[in-house]
Amino acid sequence: MATDKIDDEFIEWLYQRPVDTPIHSLPEQTTLQRAVKCFLIQGGKIGSALGVLC
């Protein structure tokens, strides 16, 4: 299993914006976008993980 606690590639997937887009400029078109943006503004971090389920 591998983890990356500071992976910000989700921004491109969730918001269709470059990863260097300021948080306050991210769109809020869906419930998920609004919730993630709020989480990030409050200092939350989203990372990624890779592993195998058996």
Side-chain angles (χ1 to χ4, degrees):
M1 186 168 136
T3 60
D4 183 351
K5 295 182 180 182
I6 57 170
D7 182 11
D8 56 5
E9 294 298 318
F10 72 91
I11 291 175
E12 289 182 347
W13 176 81
L14 180 58
Y15 296 101
Q16 291 79 50
R17 300 287 192 277
V19 296
D20 60 349
T21 302
I23 294 171
H24 291 285
S25 298
L26 294 173
E28 298 182 42
Q29 298 172 339
T30 69
T31 302
L32 180 59
Q33 286 178 339
R34 288 189 292 275
V36 170
K37 182 176 177 179
C38 181
F39 179 73
L40 294 172
I41 288 171
Q42 292 176 353
K45 304 289 184 200
I46 296 178
S48 63
L50 174 66
V52 177
L53 296 175
C54 298

